[in-house]
Amino acid sequence: MKYENVSCSQCGNDFGAGDHGYSSCQSHREALNKFANHIGYSDVEPFEIVCWVSPKTIEIREMDAERDESVKMEFHVGGFSAHCSNQRDQKWFIKSNPSNPVIRIRLGKKGWQDRHGRRFKLDDKPTKFYDYNF
């Protein structure tokens, strides 16, 4: 790393150590956010950003996620049928799949959404979560 702290000329945010600063917010948004996680109530599905079409339009592709079977889910009587007491311990193996279709999401008043109204949150890592208690 060349510099102890880099920042954005447009918004003034600091980003810590880096090789270069950013001239606009669009630059650091593209550099820092590589994933768009689909938020479906309490479940989360990982998508990867394929291309920034514009500051308000992104092309994304769903990633494959396989549950790590070494983490055993603990179910107890309760709820609709059972209650999972350790669902926050679940782990997933997430990988890119180029054969999955590419879709577009757009930034609007309600955040990032696809044409069907599904919500997405941009992040620097892919996230998968399945809510066993819903």
Side-chain angles (χ1 to χ4, degrees), residues 93-113:
F93 299 112
I94 301 172
K95 62 182 180 181
S96 179
N97 185 346
S99 64
N100 285 340
V102 173
I103 63 170
R104 282 194 173 183
I105 60 173
R106 291 182 170 79
L107 180 60
K109 292 179 183 177
K110 297 181 180 178
W112 290 97
Q113 293 185 328

Side-chain angles (χ1 to χ4, degrees), residues 5-122:
N5 187 41
V6 297
S7 61
C8 173
S9 298
Q10 185 177 4
C11 67
N13 285 338
D14 293 324
F15 296 97
D19 292 329
H20 58 81
Y22 303 101
S23 59
S24 70
C25 292
Q26 179 66 22
S27 301
H28 62 77
R29 214 177 292 138
E30 291 177 16
L32 298 176
N33 295 314
K34 304 281 187 217
F35 303 96
N37 296 311
H38 170 240
I39 311 299
Y41 296 100
S42 54
D43 292 342
V44 180
E45 298 292 333
F47 282 71
E48 64 185 328
I49 295 175
V50 176
C51 175
W52 283 81
V53 178
S54 74
K56 293 187 175 188
T57 304
I58 306 172
E59 291 184 340
I60 62 172
R61 176 175 45 227
E62 188 168 10
M63 300 176 80
D64 292 343
E66 183 179 330
R67 193 168 72 80
D68 182 352
E69 297 294 333
S70 70
V71 178
K72 299 298 179 201
M73 298 289 101
E74 297 174 12
F75 292 94
H76 310 281
V77 176
F80 293 112
S81 61
H83 174 76
C84 182
S85 61
N86 67 334
Q87 72 174 2
R88 294 286 173 198
D89 296 338
Q90 61 186 288
K91 292 190 172 124
W92 297 85
F93 299 112
I94 301 172
K95 62 182 180 181
S96 179
N97 185 346
S99 64
N100 285 340
V102 173
I103 63 170
R104 282 194 173 183
I105 60 173
R106 291 182 170 79
L107 180 60
K109 292 179 183 177
K110 297 181 180 178
W112 290 97
Q113 293 185 328
D114 69 1
R115 65 187 182 118
H116 302 290
R118 295 186 305 169
R119 297 176 304 130
F120 293 83
K121 182 180 181 302
L122 302 188

